[in-house]
Amino acid sequence: MAAPTALTVNARMRALALYFHHCQRSKRWINHKTGRRTSFCHLLIRHVATVVSGTELALQIHKEIQSDITKLVAQGNRRPHLSVILVGDDHASHTYVRNKTRTASLLGMSSSRIFRPSSVSQEELLDLIDKFNKDRNISGLLVQLPLPGHINERAICNAVAPEKDVDGFHIVNIGKLCLDQRCMIPATAAAVWEIIKRTGIETAGRNVLVIGRSKNVGMPIAMMLHSDRTHERPGGDATVIIAHRCTPLPRLKELSSLADIVIAAAGVPHLITADMVKEGAMVIDVGINRIQDPATGKLRLVGDVDFEVTHRRMFKDVIYSEEQYFLFGEQLNFGKNEEDQESPNLIKGPS
């Protein structure tokens, strides 16, 4: 799964340059630390850097949700409950689910994990989902993807009740997203949107390049950024272009060099390099890729953007963390929705 920090292309080196502003040997020091990548260094120190702490953003969101849950329960409402269905033995899926339920507990919610073997039939899975849809004690429900090949993932996503669809994958929620209506938004897209809002990045009229067209990440990000900010679900009023795996690399470089905001969500390690991004552009790296470290031989996580390792880790930590926070933020909205007697079907997801 994945979570997003925002930083400009020149973030680390400009920060270093400012820190060593009064040192005559600063340029020599910076070039030494970057392996004498002088062209990259020159690109990075030419203008002011902006570094946004993803950890601080995540903690802020954490505290806000925790406070809201405390107030919700104090008012006599049910404590929000998340149920997660996990099929098979995929190691990554088990890790994701464990982290989600752990975070639910930290935020003051209850949760449950339901395991089924990879041999489970689609009919059995649909029956289980139907049972949970009818259970009023369950506020949010998600089925961890991917599923075994014999199960139709779209059928499973559409079986989850839209008002309990924490992932935001149901066709009703996707349709509302496209119509600029309030709905449950896929977690990674919601995290990208919140980072842009909380950091005060202006999107109206700006050129945005979204690299990746998946229905769970790239598409919802593009929909939110291009839509009208005066609509029911306010959008970003940006000029959005979507690139994907069939976009030729020369064309991708051309598009990225024109973008004010680049959002990398292609799942291709180090796809975006410094020479592809113009000065002052904001870059959000949503990619999570596992590659073998040539030094240690072990697998490590890298992004779609080829930046300094420290900031690449920051990207990953933030995207991952905020994904969870927004997942539970949506779940909290489900809990509130249960107590809304006048509008029992109102979905109050983040916009």
Side-chain angles (χ1 to χ4, degrees), residues 271-311:
L271 175 64
I272 303 301
T273 53
D275 61 306
M276 297 171 65
V277 185
K278 74 177 184 179
E279 293 185 15
M282 175 185 180
V283 180
I284 300 180
D285 188 356
V286 186
I288 294 183
N289 310 287
R290 289 178 174 81
I291 66 170
Q292 188 174 43
D293 190 318
T296 65
K298 297 181 180 180
L299 292 178
R300 63 186 180 93
L301 292 178
V302 300
D304 289 358
V305 180
D306 188 10
F307 283 132
E308 227 287 329
V309 174
T310 304
H311 282 135

Side-chain angles (χ1 to χ4, degrees), residues 1-4 54-55 58-59 103 191 315-328:
M1 270 268 200
T55 301
L59 289 176
T103 303
F315 279 159
K316 298 310 105 190
D317 291 345
V318 162
I319 293 289
Y320 186 68
S321 297
E322 291 215 55
E323 220 180 77
Q324 295 185 51
Y325 293 140
F326 282 103
L327 182 148
F328 297 119

